[in-house]
Amino acid sequence: MAAGGYGRYRAVIFAAMFVGYTLYYFNRKTFSFVMPAVMAEVPLGKDELGLITSSQSAAYAISKFVSGVLSDQMSARWLFSSGLLMVGLVNVVFSWSSTVTAFAGLWFLNGLAQGLGWPPCGKILRKWFEPSQFGTWWAILSTSMNLAGGLGPIVAALVSLNYDWRMTLSFSGFICVVVSFVCLVLIKNEPSDVGLPNIEQGAKKGKKGSSSENSTLTELLLSPYLWVLSTGYLVVFGVKTCCTDWGQLFLIQERGQSMLVGSSYMSALEIGGLVGSIAAGYLSDRAVARVGLSSYGNPRHALLLSMMAGMCVSMFLFRVTVTGDSPKVSALRFFLPLPVSPFADLPFSCPGRLVSTPELRTRALRRLLDTQALLVFCLFFLTVGGFLAGLPFSTIAKHYSWATAFWVAEITCTGSTVAFFLLRNIRTKMGRIPRKAD
């Protein structure tokens, strides 16, 4: 009876969060989806476009940290629903605006509201699912971003055939407002809210006084592998954001492709990210199961290198082979395999996952996660990557060309891949290592 009750509530709550976060992500990217149409009506230069996108990236990083703290202090369902309501209202007001100042200010507010979505999801999942189930449902919930990113550009392009970009943003914002109230009703913070026993999270294992438990924050932050992963996260997130925000403008303005092809590219990019994420997770888990973990080197590193190399190749093919004379369909063939998520445990919208890889699952790090210390560290790299993909990237395109800007992103990705290869045997154990182990 109790199991049936849990199952029913889990299904309803998860479905509400999945639909809600799909709308979160769709309305995070609506400006990118309709950017060509906006430029046709409102005179916007590349610097101004970069300012708008960078303002959202900065606000999103700040808000995500604040939301992580707030989710521990207040109702997660209220936080999730309030953020979705704010996102919807901002998109509606954005559709009424016509100046760069208004666009940048409203998109900054959109970024602040966006950060309220993901941390409550993690808290609610932990309350409703067993620890052994959490990873699976977390990964499934993460696919809501790929769904929104995959279908969003196509939907926006098709809507634009009959309506203008203002109607697109107004309609998507209105749906957010409605769904926010639905989520508030359907989502429950924990089983005790509906009369069910709360789920025990299980006793934490580990030797008392172990080295990892005694590791200080300074020792963890000075771990070389944390910096290597964070830098890689910055590069991959930055390159991915360059592709999603500016790829269709590059195709339309410099390669003579249609808006539909540009939108299809953005959709294919997200599909490639979904396939890459699933493949990376499966293959890396198999590698760890076969080889095991050690203090130096990591069986995931070979997979990471291969996928980053694939990303470099895809970037090169995208920049060089697609021209105005290319058949409209063949332009898509290079986007589908684009591995935009080479880190199995590093989904782009959750830097907190950076410190939840198997190498880091210790009691000491869990305590640090509760204080948000490492989350701030990871968010810093996320912020830098997202910001560099905005105004600095568009500035390069303004003074040179979109092709040159993507060449810079390609070289950066290639340099990072070479650096990861040279550091393949770096010490991966984070925190203090016992002398006998070292």
Side-chain angles (χ1 to χ4, degrees):
M1 184 73 175
Y6 278 111
R8 184 175 69 254
Y9 280 108
R10 282 170 175 167
V12 171
I13 291 170
F14 185 84
M17 289 195 300
F18 190 93
V19 173
Y21 205 79
T22 299
L23 290 173
Y24 259 108
Y25 192 83
F26 179 85
N27 285 273
R28 186 189 311 167
K29 291 294 183 181
T30 43
F31 179 71
S32 298
F33 295 160
V34 301
M35 192 180 291
V38 176
M39 294 175 66
E41 178 182 330
V42 182
L44 294 173
K46 292 175 181 177
D47 281 346
E48 294 164 332
L49 293 173
L51 175 64
I52 296 170
T53 58
S54 290
S55 65
Q56 186 195 50
S57 299
Y60 179 57
I62 296 170
S63 178
K64 203 163 188 181
F65 165 65
V66 174
S67 176
V69 176
L70 289 177
S71 65
D72 292 331
Q73 307 297 326
M74 62 180 292
S75 168
R77 74 186 184 102
W78 274 98
L79 194 62
F80 181 87
S81 302
S82 299
L84 190 58
L85 175 64
M86 292 170 58
V87 168
L89 293 176
V90 168
N91 272 262
V92 172
V93 177
F94 191 97
S95 68
W96 302 340
S97 306
S98 299
T99 65
V100 175
T101 303
F103 286 159
L106 288 169
W107 224 230
F108 183 86
L109 294 178
N110 182 288
L112 291 178
Q114 287 287 339
L116 303 180
W118 196 247
C121 290
K123 182 179 179 180
I124 294 171
L125 284 178
R126 288 189 185 94
K127 294 291 186 179
W128 277 98
F129 292 92
E130 302 285 347
S132 59
Q133 301 173 318
F134 175 78
T136 299
W137 290 104
W138 179 279
I140 296 173
L141 183 60
S142 299
T143 62
S144 62
M145 292 177 279
N146 297 108
L147 177 65
L151 297 179
I154 300 296
V155 171
L158 293 177
V159 171
S160 67
L161 296 177
N162 298 308
Y163 304 97
D164 61 5
W165 65 271
R166 297 182 186 275
M167 181 61 69
T168 302
L169 265 71
S170 295
F171 185 65
S172 64
F174 176 75
I175 292 177
C176 270
V177 171
V178 174
V179 173
S180 68
F181 289 102
V182 175
C183 289
L184 183 62
V185 173
L186 296 181
I187 296 175
K188 308 298 179 184
N189 287 325
E190 55 188 6
S192 61
D193 290 347
V194 293
L196 295 172
N198 286 335
I199 296 173
E200 294 292 333
Q201 295 302 309
K204 297 178 176 66
K205 299 179 181 180
K207 288 185 178 182
K208 187 175 181 179
S210 65
S211 62
S212 59
E213 191 170 346
N214 293 330
S215 296
T216 65
L217 175 60
T218 301
E219 289 172 332
L220 290 165
L221 292 179
L222 290 178
S223 299
Y225 198 53
L226 178 62
W227 284 85
V228 170
L229 285 177
S230 298
T231 303
Y233 192 16
L234 179 156
V235 172
V236 175
F237 182 81
V239 171
K240 186 252 187 182
T241 305
C242 290
C243 292
T244 55
D245 286 355
W246 309 114
Q248 67 168 339
L249 282 186
F250 167 65
L251 291 174
I252 294 171
Q253 294 183 350
E254 295 188 7
R255 293 297 186 260
Q257 298 291 329
S258 66
M259 182 176 176
L260 183 59
V261 169
S263 298
S264 300
Y265 155 72
M266 297 179 69
S267 296
L269 183 69
E270 293 291 348
I271 295 172
L274 176 61
V275 174
S277 296
I278 295 173
Y282 174 73
L283 295 175
S284 65
D285 285 346
R286 286 194 60 183
V288 171
R290 184 176 65 254
V291 180
L293 297 172
S294 62
S295 296
Y296 289 86
N298 190 310
R300 290 187 176 91
H301 214 99
L303 176 65
L304 184 149
L305 283 172
S306 64
M307 297 200 77
M308 288 196 72
M311 191 173 184
C312 296
V313 172
S314 295
M315 290 288 292
F316 173 78
L317 294 175
F318 169 55
R319 181 177 59 86
V320 172
T321 61
V322 181
T323 66
D325 298 326
S326 301
K328 301 304 180 184
V329 177
S330 69
L332 302 180
R333 67 187 179 192
F334 299 118
F335 309 147
L336 288 171
L338 186 64
V340 296
S341 184
F343 301 98
D345 286 323
L346 303 182
F348 289 114
S349 18
C350 188
R353 291 281 284 172
L354 178 62
V355 287
S356 65
T357 53
E359 295 85 353
L360 299 176
R361 286 172 185 157
T362 65
R363 279 184 284 180
L365 280 171
R366 275 192 287 263
R367 289 201 304 271
L368 287 173
L369 275 175
D370 290 338
T371 63
Q372 305 294 318
L374 292 186
L375 181 57
V376 175
F377 182 83
C378 301
L379 279 173
F380 171 76
F381 284 84
L382 172 67
T383 305
V384 174
F387 181 83
L388 292 177
L391 184 58
F393 188 85
S394 64
T395 300
I396 295 175
K398 175 184 177 180
H399 293 287
Y400 298 95
S401 65
W402 287 118
T404 302
F406 276 101
W407 176 80
V408 171
E410 178 188 326
I411 293 299
T412 303
C413 190
T414 302
S416 300
T417 304
V418 173
F420 268 76
F421 174 78
L422 297 176
L423 295 171
R424 62 190 181 280
N425 293 320
I426 192 174
R427 177 165 73 88
T428 57
K429 180 71 175 179
M430 299 194 191
R432 186 178 304 171
I433 296 181
R435 292 182 180 179
K436 61 179 182 180
D438 197 17

